[in-house]
Amino acid sequence: MKYLKTIALMCCVASQALAQVKVESAIDVPGILIGEQTNVTLSVTLSEKESAALPEFEPNAQLTPGVEVVRQSDVDTTRLDNQMMRLSRKYTLTSFDDTLYQLPPFKAVVNGKEYAARPLALKVISPDVDLEHPDQFFPPKGLQTNPFQWKEWVKPFWLSVLLIVLCLLLYYFIIRLGDNKPIVARIRFVKKVLPHKKAFNVINKLKSKSLNTDADQKAYYTTLVDTLRTYLKERFGFNAMEMTSSEIIERLSQEEDTEKLNELRELFQTADLVKFAKYSTEIHEKDRNLESVVEFIETTKTEDMPTIEKIEPTLSESDKRSQKSRRLIITLIVLASISILVVLAFVCWHLYLLMI
């Protein structure tokens, strides 16, 4: 007897658990016209601890021959009392044949077991057509335009205004760039003659000159001293052209011996007397001065100097300001062009969204 009571109790508990699962289906409109749509709602009531799977259909799938599933909604979950819940899903059906359809029961799977709802019926009716009075038929209506709503066009409108402003700015910058002509500053590389060779070229020409007059002597010593000053500037790197004779001697005293500097000092003194005091020199004195210059150059010359000179152009302040202004205008043109492309893309995208 105890075993029989236990078995009976277990059967009662199992039947009660099975009774908790409830599958229902309902149709909104059981009768529709050809091409109309109606909804079937499938709901499953079960415990919160259980899991269920509701049927899914592909778009335009055939529920039964002649009845299509247009679409289906997502599963909606509703919490109930006593730790119960209800799962529901809506299926939209349509048909294009006028007949009475017996819809197959919708099935749900709960914990691996299949439960079926009650079957439903759908009546599809053809509309009444009065063939005896064809004049009462009306042609199809024309296309109806959607009402204009300003809030939908606010963003593309103001973006279009911004696009026009950016285009005007770009046109202005291009005009300014055309007015601001580029400054071409080319760096030149010229072959440079070594200082001692350049000085010897001038000295060789001086050797053939005769000093018959005071003017000839003045020109001779002026050329000789200037040649020496140019050599000193290029060879030693100090501006001998702007220095006095004593300053040159003092500067050279740091590098050359006293005997050679005495000869140069005598040359400078003689040149000053010829240029400013109308002093006339003898031929042997002229030759001695020339030889002292040649000897000084021979002693101090060097071959270890660059033979290529890089000449960089010197720009005025106005040219520098013009270059900065041109670079700024080019930067603004690039930024304006990028902004125009971005704004144009946004306008096209919003117009596309309004058209679909």
Side-chain angles (χ1 to χ4, degrees), residues 184-188 311-313:
V184 180
R186 294 188 177 90
I187 299 176
R188 295 184 298 114
I311 301 178
E312 297 184 1

Side-chain angles (χ1 to χ4, degrees), residues 71-328:
R71 58 182 173 273
Q72 59 191 10
S73 67
D74 296 331
V75 177
D76 184 28
T77 303
T78 304
R79 303 294 177 182
L80 304 176
D81 297 335
N82 299 326
Q83 296 182 350
M84 301 294 290
M85 64 178 179
R86 180 183 294 115
L87 305 179
S88 60
R89 169 173 276 176
K90 187 177 292 185
Y91 303 90
T92 302
L93 308 180
T94 188
S95 178
F96 298 95
D97 293 325
D98 56 340
T99 186
L100 177 62
Y101 293 98
Q102 181 72 26
L103 301 180
F106 287 84
K107 299 179 181 179
V109 178
V110 179
N111 292 335
K113 186 175 181 180
E114 192 174 72
Y115 295 85
R118 64 184 180 88
L120 301 173
L122 176 64
K123 177 64 176 178
V124 181
I125 307 170
S126 296
D128 294 333
V129 179
D130 189 1
L131 299 178
E132 296 180 359
H133 303 86
D135 55 331
Q136 294 183 2
F137 287 95
F138 298 97
K141 294 182 179 180
L143 296 176
Q144 182 180 2
T145 58
N146 293 327
F148 178 80
Q149 294 184 358
W150 171 247
K151 64 180 182 180
E152 296 179 350
W153 292 86
V154 169
K155 186 173 292 186
F157 172 76
W158 288 114
L159 287 176
S160 300
V161 172
L162 178 60
L163 182 63
I164 294 174
V165 173
L166 289 174
C167 290
L168 293 176
L169 286 175
L170 178 62
Y171 176 75
Y172 170 74
F173 292 146
I174 292 175
I175 295 299
R176 285 291 307 273
L177 185 64
D179 295 338
N180 191 357
K181 300 299 181 182
I183 298 174
V184 180
R186 294 188 177 90
I187 299 176
R188 295 184 298 114
F189 293 90
V190 297
K191 188 175 182 180
K192 185 177 180 181
V193 181
L194 294 176
H196 64 276
K197 292 183 178 181
K198 187 187 300 183
F200 286 150
N201 290 336
V202 178
I203 291 174
N204 290 332
K205 295 178 180 179
L206 287 177
K207 289 180 178 180
S208 60
K209 288 188 176 182
S210 59
L211 307 180
N212 298 324
T213 62
D214 293 340
D216 293 338
Q217 290 194 11
K218 184 176 180 180
Y220 175 85
Y221 279 100
T222 300
T223 303
L224 182 60
V225 172
D226 289 344
T227 301
L228 178 59
R229 288 176 180 270
T230 303
Y231 171 78
L232 294 175
K233 176 182 177 182
E234 296 179 357
R235 170 62 179 84
F236 297 100
F238 62 90
N239 192 7
M241 303 298 295
E242 303 294 332
M243 299 171 64
T244 61
S245 302
S246 58
E247 291 174 343
I248 293 174
I249 298 299
E250 182 179 356
R251 174 66 176 78
L252 290 175
S253 62
Q254 303 173 6
E255 303 181 22
E256 300 299 327
D257 57 62
T258 307
E259 182 180 354
K260 294 178 181 177
L261 293 181
N262 290 333
E263 295 177 355
L264 291 182
R265 186 181 292 107
E266 182 180 352
L267 168 63
F268 285 127
Q269 292 175 353
T270 303
D272 291 339
L273 290 175
V274 171
K275 288 191 292 184
F276 302 111
K278 296 182 180 181
Y279 174 76
S280 296
T281 61
E282 300 295 335
I283 295 178
H284 68 277
E285 191 175 359
K286 164 209 162 186
D287 294 337
R288 187 177 69 252
N289 292 328
L290 183 64
E291 289 300 328
S292 63
V293 173
V294 172
E295 185 178 355
F296 178 79
I297 294 175
E298 285 286 356
T299 306
T300 59
K301 72 177 183 179
T302 177
E303 299 287 344
D304 189 18
M305 295 185 70
T307 57
I308 301 297
E309 182 178 6
K310 179 181 178 182
I311 301 178
E312 297 184 1
T314 303
L315 299 179
S316 62
E317 291 299 326
S318 61
D319 291 339
K320 293 180 180 178
R321 288 194 298 269
S322 179
Q323 280 189 337
K324 291 181 181 179
S325 176
R326 185 175 178 82
R327 285 194 292 267
L328 177 61

